[in-house]
Structure formats: C-alpha cells, structure tokens
Amino acid sequence: MTAKIDILKISTCGKVSAPAEHTLTYNIGYDTAGKTLLVRITNNETGGLFSSEWIALTDVLSAIEKRPSPDKSFNARIFTPLYKSQSANNAGFLSAALKAENILIPFKDSKRLHNIGDVEAFTDSMQPLIKDKVSLPDVVAERDAIKAKVRAENELKLKATRAKSISK
C-alpha cells in the first residue's frame, strides 16, 4: 500500500554552493498515516541527477543526532544513507532545502557546513497546513505518469514494427 502524502508546500532554493540562485524546487509533504513531515527535491534547473524520494524529517534529525561528533558542525554527507538512489547530488540538494526551511543553519560563514536550526519553528509553521488538509499538485506523480504513457506507446510501436518485420 502506498502512503497518502499531502504536499503542503512547493518552494525553491539555491544549491548549497550557490544559495542565492534558486535553481532547485522542493516539496514539503505530510504522510497522513504516519503523521510524518517529509521533504523531497522535485526539480534542478541547472542539471545534475537527483532522486525525488521522500525523506522523513525524523530520519533527517536521526542522522544529525547520530553524527560522529555531535558537538560539531556537519556537512551534507550525513544524509547520503537516507536515500535508496545513490546520486552524488542527493544529500547536498536535501541540505539546501533544509537550509531554506531553517531546519539547518550555516556554520559560521561556511556554505557547506551546517548546524541544526529551529526545527520546532518549522514544524509549528506546517501545523496550520496540516490542519487545513492542504494538498498541492504532485508534479513528480504527473511527470511519472507522462513518462509511463510515453513508454507504453513506444512499446506498442516497437511491437507493431517487429510484427511487420516478422510477417515479411
């Protein structure tokens, strides 16, 4: 069974290396069954592969808590194990979205080192959207449906072409 995820927010942010240039699009979601906040990247305007997997905020916080030096800043690599897909960009793009939501804050003047931000303020800001049952359009599902339709059409064309060549 697939979880029902309401998309509460669609926003943009810059990459960790270029925070002022909003080239990433991300979603904040809410798993209605698990009562969990989620985040995912949905678009990268400047190229570079990424996964649009949903990542639970609880998993993000757990990764931060389990970091080797809990009293020190950290980089995005601590989020790599949260993904099934192993694109090199996943953890950095996730960090960028988390920074945009102030879940992560920069460590001193570093773009690539982070500290934990105000998670409570973030979760509090999502509560009215959850209460109002906000559910924005799922562009990833729409994009996947279009790809599946094109794939099915191409398979039919291929079968027709093969049938013609066999009958000759």
Side-chain angles (χ1 to χ4, degrees), residues 3-4 33 37 39 66-67 72 83 92-93 98 118 125 162:
K4 170 143 175 19
L37 286 165
V39 64
K66 292 177 183 174
R67 69 189 186 270
K72 294 188 178 177
Y83 285 91
F93 289 2
L98 296 172
D118 193 344
S125 73
R162 285 180 181 158

Side-chain angles (χ1 to χ4, degrees), residues 96-109:
L98 296 172
K99 283 177 91 170
E101 295 295 333
N102 291 314
I103 295 167
L104 298 182
I105 55 173
F107 174 72
K108 297 185 181 179
D109 291 332

Side-chain angles (χ1 to χ4, degrees), residues 11 33 39 58 61 104 106 120 126 140-141 155 167:
S11 194
V39 64
T58 53
L61 298 176
L104 298 182
E120 186 175 347
M126 294 296 114
V140 172
E155 287 175 6
S167 65

Side-chain angles (χ1 to χ4, degrees), residues 52-108:
S52 58
E53 294 171 51
W54 285 108
I55 303 298
L57 181 59
T58 53
D59 292 341
V60 167
L61 298 176
S62 179
I64 293 169
E65 288 172 15
K66 292 177 183 174
R67 69 189 186 270
S69 302
D71 57 336
K72 294 188 178 177
S73 60
F74 53 92
N75 66 25
R77 283 192 304 254
I78 68 169
F79 302 128
T80 300
L82 301 180
Y83 285 91
K84 291 176 188 151
S85 165
Q86 293 302 308
S87 169
N89 296 319
N90 288 342
F93 289 2
L94 175 62
S95 292
L98 296 172
K99 283 177 91 170
E101 295 295 333
N102 291 314
I103 295 167
L104 298 182
I105 55 173
F107 174 72
K108 297 185 181 179

Side-chain angles (χ1 to χ4, degrees), residues 5-166:
I5 297 172
D6 290 333
I7 297 174
L8 305 176
K9 181 177 182 179
I10 299 170
S11 194
T12 61
C13 65
K15 295 177 182 175
V16 171
S17 60
E21 299 173 39
H22 283 222
T23 57
L24 298 175
T25 304
Y26 65 94
N27 294 167
I28 302 297
Y30 182 68
D31 178 343
T32 57
K35 310 283 187 229
T36 305
L37 286 165
L38 310 157
V39 64
R40 72 174 174 188
I41 303 301
T42 61
N43 193 39
N44 173 16
E45 292 179 10
T46 58
L49 298 175
F50 66 93
S51 171
S52 58
E53 294 171 51
W54 285 108
I55 303 298
L57 181 59
T58 53
D59 292 341
V60 167
L61 298 176
S62 179
I64 293 169
E65 288 172 15
K66 292 177 183 174
R67 69 189 186 270
S69 302
D71 57 336
K72 294 188 178 177
S73 60
F74 53 92
N75 66 25
R77 283 192 304 254
I78 68 169
F79 302 128
T80 300
L82 301 180
Y83 285 91
K84 291 176 188 151
S85 165
Q86 293 302 308
S87 169
N89 296 319
N90 288 342
F93 289 2
L94 175 62
S95 292
L98 296 172
K99 283 177 91 170
E101 295 295 333
N102 291 314
I103 295 167
L104 298 182
I105 55 173
F107 174 72
K108 297 185 181 179
D109 291 332
S110 174
K111 289 181 182 176
R112 297 187 189 278
L113 293 177
H114 320 290
N115 276 326
I116 188 80
D118 193 344
V119 177
E120 186 175 347
F122 168 75
T123 56
D124 288 350
S125 73
M126 294 296 114
Q127 295 312 307
L129 302 174
I130 294 167
K131 183 180 177 223
D132 291 344
K133 297 184 182 344
V134 169
S135 189
L136 301 172
D138 187 342
V139 296
V140 172
E142 292 168 6
R143 191 168 52 214
D144 289 349
I146 291 168
K147 286 180 186 176
K149 181 180 176 189
V150 168
R151 192 176 306 116
E153 289 169 354
N154 288 340
E155 287 175 6
L156 286 173
K157 288 177 188 174
L158 183 61
K159 285 179 184 177
T161 303
R162 285 180 181 158
K164 280 183 183 178
S165 66
I166 290 172

